[in-house]
Amino acid sequence: VNVMDQALWSELLATLRALEADSAVRGAVFQSGLKRDVFTAGNDLRELHAGLTTKERYAEFWRTQTTFLSALFESPLATVAAVRGACPAGGCAIALCCDARVLSENGSLGLNEVALGLGVPRFWTQVFTRLTGEGRGERVLSLGGLPKAREALELGLVDAVEPKANLLPAAEAMLERLLAAPDLGRVLTKQMVRGLLAQAWGSEQNIAAEIEAGWAQLTQPSVVALLSKQLEKMSRKPGAPPPPPSARL
């Protein structure tokens, strides 16, 4: 289910860097290759559960994830997320870092950490509220929900809602519109709008601070208990083999 572990974030980062290094590539569409209507299932709980990882492993995971997201946010490529189905937390962060988002009619998208007793990461809140506005964005984040397609469109989280069958063509058409003008002006404008936030997000000082704060949160007994409960819940899905210990984080 596209569980986002250290290996996946590393692969995403390597792919982004390869695309940016290829002068023939001007843009990219992010989509899921799953048959199920899930963009991603969010971060792998094994990377977040203090009883199943170490601070050193968590630091590597968070640094890789943050390096990718901050790089995608200010990438010179034109980027569009074609989101089919559910898109919680880590997957939502990817979509928010793209230049545009197209969501399927049956889709949902949001940062739902609060529902599991966790705070939404600092810079994730900023890329979320830059689209929704601070007041509405804080309210949505505080509820820990996943806005469905029409609400997501109303909030400004996505640029279009499409039937599943038309999702990729719509995303490709949106990418073509982004690429209609010469690259230089688009790239410079993107840097002007996003540069300060991207630099702060990807700075080693802030990454280190987020790692310390994140690990302090994840080692709280109440958080360990909540994540353990979520792991147990997901391992007991009726009518299906036990899924990997992951959750929508």
Side-chain angles (χ1 to χ4, degrees):
V1 288
N2 283 352
V3 176
M4 306 181 80
D5 58 10
Q6 166 69 20
L8 180 56
W9 286 111
S10 295
E11 186 175 352
L12 286 169
L13 179 58
T15 300
L16 179 63
R17 286 174 170 165
L19 291 173
E20 291 177 343
D22 188 339
S23 60
V25 177
R26 300 175 61 213
V29 173
F30 288 79
Q31 66 168 335
S32 170
L34 295 175
K35 292 182 179 179
R36 293 176 57 191
D37 289 339
V38 178
F39 186 69
T40 79
N43 277 336
D44 190 336
L45 276 188
R46 291 169 293 189
E47 304 285 9
L48 301 172
H49 192 295
L52 300 176
T53 188
T54 64
K55 184 178 181 180
E56 292 72 24
R57 168 77 183 187
Y58 171 72
E60 180 185 8
F61 168 78
W62 196 262
R63 181 171 282 106
T64 303
Q65 174 185 257
T66 301
T67 301
F68 169 74
L69 290 173
S70 60
L72 176 62
F73 184 64
E74 65 172 345
S75 176
L77 299 175
T79 55
V80 178
V83 180
R84 174 170 48 83
C87 184
C92 177
I94 291 176
L96 295 175
C97 288
C98 289
D99 300 331
R101 290 147 293 282
V102 183
L103 182 62
S104 64
E105 290 178 329
N106 68 333
S108 59
L109 177 145
L111 301 176
N112 63 324
E113 286 80 4
V114 168
L116 290 174
L118 298 173
V120 182
R122 171 187 172 189
F123 291 100
W124 294 25
T125 69
Q126 293 185 37
V127 293
F128 189 93
T129 57
R130 72 184 287 272
L131 297 177
T132 63
E134 287 191 4
R136 290 203 304 173
E138 181 182 355
R139 187 162 58 251
V140 173
L141 292 172
S142 297
L143 293 173
L146 297 173
K148 295 188 183 299
R150 293 300 168 187
E151 182 184 1
L153 182 63
E154 180 185 344
L155 287 166
L157 290 171
V158 299
D159 300 278
V161 172
E162 295 284 344
K164 284 195 299 181
N166 195 49
L167 184 67
L168 184 56
E172 291 173 338
M174 191 166 288
L175 182 63
E176 288 180 5
R177 290 197 295 273
L178 289 171
L179 294 174
D183 288 341
L184 181 60
R186 174 184 55 78
V187 172
L188 289 176
T189 301
K190 186 174 182 177
Q191 290 173 349
M192 291 294 182
V193 173
R194 302 187 180 199
L196 290 178
L197 177 54
Q199 290 170 21
W201 194 359
S203 76
E204 179 54 38
Q205 179 179 357
N206 284 329
I207 291 175
E210 280 200 312
I211 289 169
E212 290 298 322
W215 187 248
Q217 178 182 207
L218 293 174
T219 52
Q220 291 288 325
S222 60
V223 172
V224 174
L226 284 167
L227 297 184
S228 296
K229 185 176 181 179
Q230 183 68 20
L231 285 170
E232 182 181 1
K233 176 182 176 182
M234 296 192 73
S235 70
R236 293 181 176 179
K237 263 189 175 178
S246 61
R248 296 175 175 180
L249 288 176

